[in-house]
């Protein structure tokens, strides 16, 4: 009798990473790794995937029920990738497979066929094909192709100009060799714009694959990819798992973007998954970015990736304004240098102002007793929104009217503190009365269509556009004469080791929107981020940041694991967090346990344990057994986040 280890989509606390079943003799010829099977799992029947075959098992096990003929087999490289993810991201193999596949729940009963859908096949529009000659090769594209022919087969295209021409050349090369390509972008909307553009450039089928497709369409697309020859798949992070045959190339655009991080279990980082899938398949990887991650720069430094710099137009001059000595007509909000620059540019020209936070101010502060109104469920300061005089918790969504008097002492000296887009907009309207002023944040432009409409208005009217990261992460960007950044010190001083990296990346991209000058207001003008921007020398920042990370043992010089323990009370969460920290201390450097930076969210108390694991992963390997031995109560939840991008 033969046996099979089967992956089932259950969390670690439900048992093992895979479960063993016997194979009925009638099914033995049809069972191989990757085969979907029906099994009895507890009181219910469910679908699992065979991970490996076994000749002998020294215990009594249940038999498989049947082959699930509704589903295709999982390709060998994805099965191997799922096993790697289970080890690296501390999850079950079934959880890893679940993020790779369209939802099984959409398939109906065990004997029904999948609902028919139409594959998301993209064809070029008439405007993209009629009479348009092929794009001439660029110097950057030539350098990239040359680099892909050598070892290592990872190439970083850094900068703006020629980046997409390099993508096209690399994909054409892969398709010409009879191999498939995957092109990843951070957001679904970007994929839906990029796919038809690529279809107009390539002589190959182009498909989109993403989680917002209806399940029937996603399954039809998945099957089409699985059965097809050389093709190109475009999508966000889930497209990294497209079941292409003969994978030759993976392109990751804006590789630094935090959207490549999955925030549900297993919390994988697509950049890491791409590198492993490329290793398993022998595919090349093309990393593209205007502002690379520190991780990518370390790969370049150690020689595992080759860099090609895509030259951009002449960069804008960056001015660092010290707000401590640069007061303007309204104090420090618009400093003297920034006010003069905007007054010279407006209303005839265009200007962009970046503000890290939406809302009017970070919080209200009572100047009599020092109290700050907080969310009763999350215990964080509520953000003040001036347009409707409300306090909003951006964690749980609670909205309260802003109090007229202090809830703690009854005082009448409640004042807004901090800088948000609303406050900057209100100040700008006082200073530049004849100027068209627009605001772009998730309050004014929650949908892509709203963002596009705002940019179109900015293109027509000119004037001043004030916004958050939607200025660089959204759609429809229009270049301006000048750009500015306000309130960036708060983002720069967040209690996260990536704070400097993220601030440098977003300011670099804002500066790319400025044609002449960018003014950055700060209380810390000598910070390495601002020094590198002022000197137009990104390598200066990356050298210093890598040296700091190496000195303190942060990624990319370790594998970071963030354990968040949430419970109904501080005692319950703290006990579990303490036991986890004590169990892992012999295996890795452990920071904590301590209350999380956000100690309470939606009424649940949060404790945190930060683990600096080795590449060998001793702490990650021990964690499942440690959790099983602790007997974590059901009221307590342990979230395992390997490669965290947010420690708050």
């Amino acid at each position: 009798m033969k046996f099979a280890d089967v992956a089932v989509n259950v969390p670690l606390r439900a048992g093992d990473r895979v479960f063993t079943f016997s194979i009925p003799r009638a099914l033995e010829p049809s069972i191989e790794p990757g085969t979907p099977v029906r099994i009895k799992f507890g009181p219910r029947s469910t679908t699992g995937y065979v991970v490996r075959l076994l000749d002998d098992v020294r215990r009594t096990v249940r038999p498989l029920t049947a082959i699930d003929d509704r589903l295709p087999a999982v390709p060998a490289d994805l099965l191997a990738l799922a096993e790697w993810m289970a080890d690296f991201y501390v999850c079950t193999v079934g959880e890893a497979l679940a993020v790779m596949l369209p939802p099984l729940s959409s398939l109906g009963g065990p004997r029904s066929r999948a609902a028919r859908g139409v594959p998301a096949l993209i064809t070029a529009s008439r405007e993209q094909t009629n009479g348009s000659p092929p794009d001439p090769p660029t110097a950057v594209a030539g350098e990239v192709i040359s680099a892909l022919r050598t070892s290592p087969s990872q190439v970083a295209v850094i900068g703006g100009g020629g980046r997409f021409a390099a993508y096209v050349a690399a994909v054409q090369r892969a398709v010409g060799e009879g191999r498939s390509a995957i092109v990843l972008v951070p957001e679904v909307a970007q994929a839906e714009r990029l796919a038809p553009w690529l279809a107009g450039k390539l002589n190959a089928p182009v498909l989109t694959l993403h989680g917002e497709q209806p399940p029937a369409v996603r399954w039809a697309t998945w099957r089409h990819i699985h059965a097809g020859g050389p093709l190109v798949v475009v999508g966000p992070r889930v497209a990294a798992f497209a079941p292409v045959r003969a994978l030759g190339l993976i392109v990751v655009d804006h590789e630094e973007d935090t959207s490549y991080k999955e925030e549900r279990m297993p919390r994988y980082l697509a950049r890491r998954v791409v590198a492993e899938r490329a290793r398993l398949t022998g595919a090349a990887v093309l990393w593209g970015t205007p502002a690379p991650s520190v991780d990518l720069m370390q790969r370049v430094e150690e020689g595992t990736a080759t860099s090609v710099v895509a030259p951009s137009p002449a960069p804008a001059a960056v001015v660092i304004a010290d707000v401590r000595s640069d007061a303007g007509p309204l104090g420090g909000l618009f400093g003297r240098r920034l006010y003069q620059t905007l007054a010279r540019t407006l209303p005839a020209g265009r200007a962009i102002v970046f503000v890290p936070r939406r809302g009017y101010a970070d919080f209200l502060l009572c100047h009599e007793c020092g109290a700050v109104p907080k969310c009763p469920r999350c215990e964080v300061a509520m953000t003040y929104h001036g347009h409707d005089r409300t306090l909003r918790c951006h964690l749980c969504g609670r909205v309260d009217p802003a109090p007229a008097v202090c809830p703690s002492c009854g005082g009448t000296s409640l004042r807004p503190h901090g800088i948000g887009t609303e406050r900057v907009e209100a100040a700008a309207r006082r200073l530049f009365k004849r100027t068209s002023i627009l605001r772009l944040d998730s309050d004014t432009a929650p949908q892509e269509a709203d963002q596009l409409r705002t940019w179109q208005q900015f293109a027509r009217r000119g004037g001043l556009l004030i916004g958050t990261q939607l200025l660089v992460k959204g759609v429809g960007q229009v270049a301006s004469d000048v750009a500015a950044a306000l309130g960036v010190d708060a983002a720069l001083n967040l209690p996260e080791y990536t704070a400097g990296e993220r601030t440098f990346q977003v300011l670099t991209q804002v500066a790319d929107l400025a044609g002449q000058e960018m003014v950055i207001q700060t209380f810390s003008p000598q910070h390495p981020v601002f020094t590198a921007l002022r000197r137009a020398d990104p390598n200066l920042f990356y050298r210093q940041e890598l040296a700091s990370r190496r000195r303190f043992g942060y990624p990319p010089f370790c594998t970071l694991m963030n354990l968040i323990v949430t419970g109904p009370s501080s005692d319950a969460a703290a006990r579990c967090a303490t036991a986890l920290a004590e169990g892992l201390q012999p295996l890795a450097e452990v920071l904590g346990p301590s209350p999380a930076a956000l100690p309470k969210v939606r009424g649940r108390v949060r404790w945190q344990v930060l683990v600096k694991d080795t590449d060998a992963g001793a702490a990650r390997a021990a964690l499942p057994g440690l959790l099983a031995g602790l007997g974590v109560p059901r009221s307590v939840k342990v979230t395992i986040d390997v490669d965290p991008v947010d420690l708050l």
Side-chain angles (χ1 to χ4, degrees):
M1 177 176 285
K2 294 281 188 181
F3 300 86
D5 281 343
V6 177
V8 185
N9 183 18
V10 293
L12 268 177
R13 71 186 302 162
D16 299 323
R17 288 184 171 179
V18 293
F19 301 86
T20 305
F21 293 83
S22 63
I23 303 174
R25 295 196 184 279
L27 297 180
E28 281 186 9
S30 304
I31 298 287
E32 59 184 20
T35 302
V37 293
R38 297 293 296 179
I39 56 172
K40 276 287 197 181
F41 192 77
R44 63 191 178 95
S45 178
T46 190
T47 293
Y49 276 89
V50 174
V51 175
R52 67 183 64 85
L53 301 179
L54 307 170
D55 292 323
D56 187 34
V57 172
R58 298 181 181 275
R59 65 182 188 277
T60 302
V61 295
R62 287 181 173 184
L64 302 175
T65 304
I67 294 175
D68 194 336
D69 59 3
R70 301 170 302 167
L71 299 167
V74 171
D77 69 307
L78 289 184
L79 198 61
L81 186 63
E83 291 195 85
W84 172 84
M85 287 177 66
D87 289 336
F88 195 90
Y89 289 108
V90 196
C91 63
T92 65
V93 179
E95 285 180 300
L97 284 172
V99 301
M100 299 180 181
L101 300 169
L104 299 183
S105 59
S106 65
L107 295 177
R111 291 299 176 191
S112 69
R113 290 283 176 181
R116 291 188 177 275
V118 178
L121 185 63
I122 306 298
T123 57
S125 67
R126 179 175 301 175
E127 291 78 7
Q128 290 168 316
T129 56
N130 274 4
S132 56
D135 292 341
T138 65
V140 171
E143 287 185 63
V144 166
I145 296 302
S146 177
L148 287 172
R149 294 193 182 105
T150 62
S151 182
S153 57
Q154 293 194 33
V155 179
V157 187
I158 300 171
R163 197 168 82 239
F164 283 89
Y167 297 166
V168 171
V171 172
Q172 283 177 330
R173 174 177 177 266
V175 172
E177 294 175 349
R179 308 190 75 181
S180 294
I182 296 172
V183 181
L184 299 186
V185 290
E187 307 286 350
V188 170
Q190 292 167 303
E192 292 180 337
R193 291 194 306 275
L194 181 61
W197 182 83
L198 278 176
K201 308 284 184 183
L202 302 170
N203 185 26
V206 178
L207 298 97
T208 56
L209 181 66
H210 56 79
E212 292 184 13
Q213 293 167 328
V217 172
R218 190 173 165 194
W219 266 116
T221 305
W222 204 94
R223 291 174 185 275
H224 186 87
I225 296 168
H226 184 264
L231 45 75
V232 181
V233 179
V234 182
R237 61 179 178 267
V238 73
F241 306 114
V244 297
R245 296 178 182 270
L247 179 60
L249 174 71
I250 307 176
V251 177
V252 185
D253 186 45
H254 275 282
E255 59 82 29
E256 83 290 347
D257 200 291
T258 56
S259 297
Y260 287 120
K261 175 69 175 181
E262 174 60 70
E263 294 300 336
R264 295 169 295 182
M265 281 300 294
R267 295 187 168 206
Y268 68 89
L269 182 62
R271 288 202 309 261
R272 177 98 62 177
V273 168
V274 161
E276 179 62 18
R277 190 171 186 193
R279 188 190 68 80
L280 290 169
T281 59
V285 183
L286 191 55
W287 310 99
T289 174
S293 64
V294 170
D295 177 70
L296 181 59
M297 294 306 291
Q298 169 61 10
R299 294 187 193 199
V300 171
E301 183 178 284
E302 68 186 10
T304 57
T306 302
S307 68
V308 174
V309 177
S312 298
V318 175
V319 176
I320 308 301
D322 187 343
V323 294
R324 295 170 299 180
S325 58
D326 192 45
L330 295 179
L333 191 58
F334 282 88
R336 177 180 53 81
R337 178 58 186 265
L338 175 57
Y339 172 73
Q340 290 174 347
T341 300
L342 292 177
R344 185 171 62 248
T345 305
L346 302 173
R350 293 193 188 96
I352 289 173
V353 174
F354 167 72
V355 185
R357 289 180 63 102
R358 59 191 168 109
Y360 186 87
D362 294 350
F363 53 87
L364 289 181
L365 173 70
C366 176
H367 283 221
E368 296 181 33
C369 72
V372 173
K374 294 185 176 182
C375 173
R377 295 185 66 202
C378 303
E379 292 187 356
V380 297
M382 297 183 77
T383 301
Y384 175 62
H385 287 251
H387 71 282
D388 57 0
R389 295 192 55 79
T390 58
L391 293 175
R392 297 172 183 259
C393 176
H394 290 169
L395 293 178
C396 70
R398 180 186 178 97
V399 181
D400 291 334
V405 298
C406 174
S408 296
C409 71
T412 57
S413 297
L414 279 172
R415 301 285 186 271
H417 281 256
I419 298 175
T421 50
E422 278 187 38
R423 185 176 184 185
V424 175
E425 179 190 14
R429 291 189 182 281
R430 292 171 58 190
L431 290 174
F432 308 107
K433 298 183 184 299
R434 295 184 298 157
T435 297
S436 168
I437 296 176
L438 299 167
R439 178 158 57 93
L440 180 64
D441 56 29
S442 58
D443 292 328
T444 62
Q447 304 297 325
E448 183 182 282
D450 304 315
Q451 299 168 27
L452 191 58
R453 192 178 307 113
T454 301
W455 280 109
Q456 289 170 343
Q457 291 174 344
F458 183 59
R460 289 196 309 270
R461 300 179 189 172
L464 182 62
L465 176 62
I466 299 162
T468 58
Q469 286 202 31
L470 286 183
L471 290 171
V472 294
K473 289 192 69 170
V475 297
Q477 281 83 358
V478 176
S480 64
D481 299 300
V482 300
L486 310 182
V488 295
D489 293 285
L492 194 59
N493 292 291
L494 287 172
E496 294 196 89
Y497 74 96
T498 58
E501 176 185 7
R502 291 197 201 172
T503 304
F504 181 80
Q505 288 166 343
V506 70
L507 292 180
T508 296
Q509 293 176 72
V510 173
D512 286 343
L513 295 174
Q516 301 167 10
E517 183 177 271
M518 178 167 180
V519 180
I520 301 173
Q521 295 191 162
T522 175
F523 287 92
S524 307
Q526 302 307 316
H527 193 284
V529 164
F530 304 131
T531 302
L533 287 165
R534 184 177 65 247
R535 296 182 183 176
D537 184 3
N539 287 328
L540 174 63
F541 167 74
Y542 289 110
R543 284 195 302 269
Q544 293 178 317
E545 185 69 10
L546 281 168
S548 176
R549 302 265 186 105
R550 185 182 286 109
R551 184 165 63 252
F552 293 104
Y554 280 105
F557 303 103
C558 76
T559 297
L560 200 62
M561 179 166 59
N562 189 24
L563 305 178
I564 296 291
V565 182
T566 62
S569 68
S570 184
D571 286 347
R575 279 195 302 269
C576 181
T578 300
L580 285 172
E582 291 174 350
L584 294 173
Q585 277 170 351
L587 304 171
E589 182 182 351
V590 176
L591 306 179
S594 62
L598 298 175
K600 192 174 183 182
V601 175
R602 296 180 176 90
R604 301 265 297 172
V605 178
R606 304 167 81 242
W607 277 65
Q608 184 176 41
V609 178
L610 205 60
V611 183
K612 296 180 180 179
D613 201 6
T614 62
D615 288 341
R620 281 167 284 144
L623 188 54
L626 181 59
L627 285 170
L630 287 178
V632 180
R634 291 199 168 274
S635 62
V636 174
K637 179 183 178 182
V638 179
T639 299
I640 302 167
D641 189 1
V642 180
D643 288 336
V645 299
D646 186 348
L647 297 181
L648 299 180

